[in-house]
């Protein structure tokens, strides 16, 4: 149902449309780029014989590892679209892991999901009080929440878990599984097709097979939250008002928007989404809470959000990329990462050609030299050290952010202090 047109609605589009720093990639072009990257990956697979880089189990693992990163990134998206920088996502993930496991082993996994989300919301509420009401620097508040969450869970874990079977000062008892599902027939067909090793077709089968094989119900909810977030923020009057608070809160206030209310709601929802990501880690990925199990995923989620240019679709692609590189640690890491060196070299060469076409010759030469060095590394070795495999997700995070930095456009008032009535 379309909302009735009012003076506020007529004027609000001016808050929505700010000139971006670069052209937004259309969906057909984006799909073409993804298809091209998959075709290039298929070529690398055929050359190197590293079939594991696109098999069903690899993609299934990548999806599982991408979910908490994507949920943390969605949390950051909600907060920053309202103008609040949320560096505290890591702490809210930690709260989600602890509260989810604590409630889950006592009252069941779905209760754990609910309580874990509430735990993340509490972290978001604290961040909102400190930044919105008291105007404390957003970065300082976020870092403080990360430290506070870590200290609080370390204090609470021995009190809650010691004395229970399987529990200790750093680990909770086991939590009952939420359950998984596999699409019958389709999963087997895609797995068989992937095993044939055909160019491109088998790689697509591996990608799709990972989406329908051994999938948690919480994964399904997380995936649905991506288009759900897009619809709410870009197709409803609520979302328009919330985003106006991140673009120009003074103008939003002049049009009758309660800026404080929308900022509070956005940051609390942000914490809840991050808390859900923590629940996924302590109930789905591992059926127990374990100290340190977030492993910086809140920060990587923030990087995925930036890579996605503060848009849900781009964020999902970024989370998938980081989840995929993280999955290399678990399945044939050394062999697969060595094969991906060739893929990286080819991508750098293509990037150099693209830069040369755009007459950016210095950047093109530098990119080409780096590509040549990566290829030399690939050609001169048969495997990579385990330390390189472990560092791959973080290296990819830095490289992706560096390459995408020039096309980014954050909300105009993101991180800026705001006081009610300051425009008068």
């Amino acid at each position: 149902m379309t909302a009735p047109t009012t003076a506020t609605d007529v004027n609000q589009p001016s808050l929505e449309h700010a000139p971006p720093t670069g052209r937004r990639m259309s969906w057909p072009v984006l799909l073409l780029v993804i298809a091209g990257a998959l075709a290039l990956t298929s070529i690398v697979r055929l050359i190197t014989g590293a079939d594991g880089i696109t098999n069903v189990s690899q993609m299934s693992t990548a999806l599982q590892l991408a979910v908490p990163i994507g949920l943390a990134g969605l949390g950051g998206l909600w907060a920053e679209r309202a103008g609040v920088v949320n560096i505290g996502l890591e702490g809210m993930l930690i709260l989600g892991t602890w509260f989810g496991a604590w409630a889950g082993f006592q009252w069941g996994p779905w209760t754990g999901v609910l309580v874990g989300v509430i735990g993340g919301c509490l972290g978001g509420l604290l961040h909102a009080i400190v930044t919105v009401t008291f105007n404390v620097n957003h970065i300082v508040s976020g870092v403080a929440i990360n430290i506070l969450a870590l200290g609080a869970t370390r204090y609470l874990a021995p009190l809650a878990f010691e004395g229970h079977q399987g529990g200790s000062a750093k680990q909770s008892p086991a939590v009952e599984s939420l359950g998984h599902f596999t699409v019958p027939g389709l999963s087997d067909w895609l797995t068989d097709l992937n095993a044939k090793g055909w160019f491109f077709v088998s790689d697509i089968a591996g990608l799709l097979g990972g989406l329908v094989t051994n999938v948690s119900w919480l994964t399904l909810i997380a995936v649905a939250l991506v288009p759900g977030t897009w619809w709410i923020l870009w197709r409803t009057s609520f979302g328009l008002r919330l985003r106006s608070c991140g673009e120009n809160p003074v103008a939003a206030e002049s049009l009758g928007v309660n800026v404080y209310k929308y900022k509070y709601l956005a940051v609390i929802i942000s914490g809840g989404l991050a808390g859900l990501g923590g629940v996924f880690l302590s109930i789905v990925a591992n059926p127990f809470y374990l100290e340190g199990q977030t492993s910086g995923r809140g920060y990587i989620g923030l990087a995925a959000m930036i890579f996605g240019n503060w848009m849900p679709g781009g964020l999902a692609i970024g989370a998938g990329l980081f989840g995929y590189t993280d999955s290399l640690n678990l399945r044939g890491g050394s062999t697969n990462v060595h094969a991906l060196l060739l893929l990286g070299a080819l991508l750098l060469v293509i990037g150099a050609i693209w830069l040369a076409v755009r007459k950016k010759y210095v950047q093109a030469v530098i990119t080409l030299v780096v590509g040549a060095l990566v290829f030399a590394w690939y050609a001169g070795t048969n495997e990579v050290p385990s330390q390189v495999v472990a560092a791959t997700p973080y290296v990819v995070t830095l490289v992706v952010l560096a390459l995408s930095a020039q096309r980014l456009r954050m909300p105009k008032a993101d991180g800026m202090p705001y006081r009610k009535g300051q425009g008068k």
Side-chain angles (χ1 to χ4, degrees):
M1 181 179 294
T2 305
T5 303
T6 64
T8 299
D9 295 323
V10 171
N11 288 284
Q12 278 177 330
S14 62
L15 301 170
E16 179 187 13
H17 301 292
T21 56
R23 290 182 298 177
R24 183 179 296 176
M25 187 178 294
S26 64
W27 275 108
V29 174
L30 178 61
L31 292 175
L32 188 62
V33 169
I34 294 173
L38 193 59
L40 197 62
T41 303
S42 184
I43 292 172
V44 169
R45 175 180 61 79
L46 292 173
I47 293 174
T48 62
D51 294 333
I53 60 177
T54 58
N55 65 22
V56 172
S57 60
Q58 181 78 55
M59 294 303 179
S60 180
T61 303
L63 176 63
Q64 186 178 80
L65 292 171
V67 168
I69 295 173
L71 287 170
L74 275 180
L77 174 68
W78 274 85
E80 299 207 11
R81 279 294 176 179
V84 179
V85 176
N86 193 356
I87 297 293
L89 291 169
E90 179 73 7
M92 296 168 199
L93 271 175
I94 293 172
L95 291 173
T97 61
W98 191 91
F99 278 100
W102 170 72
F105 90 88
Q106 297 185 85
W107 302 300
W110 286 109
T111 303
V113 171
L114 177 61
V115 175
V117 170
I118 292 173
C121 287
L122 291 175
L125 177 61
L126 177 60
H127 189 49
I129 292 171
V130 172
T131 56
V132 179
T133 300
F134 293 101
N135 254 341
V136 173
N137 182 277
H138 299 189
I139 306 298
V140 173
S141 173
V143 172
I145 286 173
N146 292 339
I147 297 172
L148 179 62
L150 183 60
T153 53
R154 281 182 175 176
Y155 172 76
L156 292 172
L159 299 177
F161 302 142
E162 283 186 338
H164 295 277
Q165 184 178 1
S168 69
K170 295 186 176 181
Q171 179 177 317
S172 74
V175 180
E176 184 183 345
S177 174
L178 285 171
H180 296 75
F181 73 91
T182 296
V183 179
L186 180 61
S187 174
D188 293 335
W189 177 68
L190 289 171
T191 301
D192 293 341
L193 190 59
N194 175 248
K196 294 184 182 298
W198 294 340
F199 170 72
F200 194 65
V201 174
S202 291
D203 301 286
I204 293 179
L207 176 61
L208 297 178
L211 301 177
V212 297
T213 304
N214 202 30
V215 179
S216 166
W217 293 106
L218 202 55
T219 300
L220 194 63
I221 293 172
V223 171
L225 284 170
V226 175
T229 291
W230 173 82
W231 185 81
I232 292 172
L233 293 183
W234 275 268
R235 287 294 181 269
T236 67
S237 58
F238 169 83
L240 179 58
R241 294 187 181 98
L242 186 146
R243 288 185 294 117
S244 73
C245 297
E247 295 292 344
N248 193 332
V250 174
E253 182 186 348
S254 71
L255 296 171
V257 176
N258 188 332
V259 176
Y260 278 10
K261 181 184 80 172
Y262 281 92
K263 284 180 178 287
Y264 261 86
L265 285 173
V267 181
I268 291 171
I269 292 171
S270 171
L273 289 168
L276 185 62
V279 168
F280 188 92
L281 289 172
S282 62
I283 293 183
V284 178
N286 295 301
F288 50 82
Y289 163 81
L290 181 66
E291 185 178 304
Q293 70 189 134
T294 57
S295 301
R297 286 181 175 86
Y299 301 111
I300 299 179
L302 198 63
M305 179 203 68
I306 296 171
F307 166 79
N309 208 7
W310 289 265
M311 295 292 292
L315 182 156
I317 294 173
L321 174 63
F322 298 139
Y324 176 77
T325 55
D326 200 11
S327 71
L328 297 175
N329 288 324
L330 302 178
R331 296 186 176 275
S334 181
T335 302
N336 291 340
V337 172
H338 183 259
L340 292 179
L341 288 176
L342 178 58
L343 177 61
L346 292 174
L347 289 173
L348 287 167
V349 170
I350 293 172
I353 295 171
W354 173 249
L355 289 170
V357 169
R358 300 181 66 185
K359 299 183 179 179
K360 296 182 178 181
Y361 299 115
V362 175
Q363 295 95 320
V365 171
I366 294 173
T367 304
L368 187 61
V369 169
V370 174
L373 291 174
V374 173
F375 179 77
W377 185 7
Y378 165 77
T381 59
N382 293 321
E383 61 180 19
V384 295
S386 59
Q387 295 88 344
V388 174
V389 178
T392 297
Y394 308 101
V395 173
V396 169
T397 301
L398 291 174
V399 171
V400 166
L401 287 179
L403 294 177
S404 62
Q406 295 182 353
R407 67 173 183 84
L408 299 179
R409 188 240 172 223
M410 66 192 301
K412 280 189 173 182
D414 194 15
M416 295 176 61
Y418 166 77
R419 284 291 186 190
K420 186 175 181 179
Q422 70 181 36
K424 295 180 180 178

